[in-house]
Amino acid sequence: MTTESTNKPSIWFWIISVVALLWNSAGAYMYLIQAYNTESFKAMYTPEQLEMVNNAPSWATAAFAVAVFGGVLGSIGLLLRKKWAKSVFFLSLLGIIAHQLIYNSFMSGAIEAYGTSAIIMPVMTFIIGGLLLLFTNKAIAKHWLR
């Protein structure tokens, strides 16, 4: 006898999961073009902003990678209906806190380089990461994940 749930997720589960994958994939794309210092990345920023990005400490870059690739993996976990998505989203949220909130908002000088958008994007990213973790908890409670 199997203990696997036959509880089917609502259409909103699938919509949110796909949107989460798209959102987190955009973050992974930004990480990759930054890591490879592509021409398209350089074209998006002023020389001062590029200098700030290029001088980021390795721990901040690692936190950025954990945040975005954890988000992608957590989103894939949702689409596969796996409970481990919760743990991965939690790690992603820790990466968001370290990179976006601590480093970008308080240590990097981003506010001077980018203006108020340096506060808006980290807060928005943190809120979305937190909501994805809460959504995953709800999906587990409804037995949509196994």
Side-chain angles (χ1 to χ4, degrees):
M1 184 163 161
T2 181
T3 60
E4 211 166 290
S5 172
T6 58
N7 207 7
K8 293 194 179 201
S10 72
I11 188 68
W12 285 108
F13 171 86
W14 297 110
I15 292 170
I16 291 170
S17 298
V18 168
V19 170
L21 181 60
L22 293 172
W23 165 260
N24 285 301
S25 294
Y29 171 75
M30 291 304 296
Y31 173 84
L32 290 171
I33 66 170
Q34 178 181 322
Y36 288 103
N37 204 20
T38 65
E39 290 303 318
S40 63
F41 175 74
K42 290 187 237 180
M44 295 187 322
Y45 300 101
T46 67
E48 295 80 21
Q49 292 168 336
L50 286 172
E51 183 178 339
M52 184 190 70
V53 169
N54 292 332
N55 291 327
S58 58
W59 69 265
T61 303
F64 186 15
V66 168
V68 298
F69 292 113
V72 169
L73 188 58
S75 299
I76 291 169
L78 280 179
L79 290 168
L80 295 174
R81 298 179 57 200
K82 298 296 182 182
K83 284 183 182 178
W84 52 257
K86 177 182 175 179
S87 300
V88 180
F89 276 135
F90 179 74
L91 290 174
S92 176
L93 192 59
L94 291 178
I96 291 168
I97 291 167
H99 181 261
Q100 292 286 344
L101 296 180
I102 294 172
Y103 179 72
N104 279 352
S105 296
F106 300 112
M107 299 174 71
S108 69
I111 295 171
E112 293 81 21
Y114 297 99
T116 56
S117 66
I119 296 293
I120 294 167
M121 192 62 173
V123 169
M124 186 175 78
T125 304
F126 174 73
I127 290 170
I128 291 170
L131 289 173
L132 285 173
L133 187 58
L134 291 173
F135 176 73
T136 305
N137 280 334
K138 185 174 182 167
I140 290 170
K142 290 185 174 249
H143 303 286
W144 291 343
L145 307 182
R146 49 189 183 275

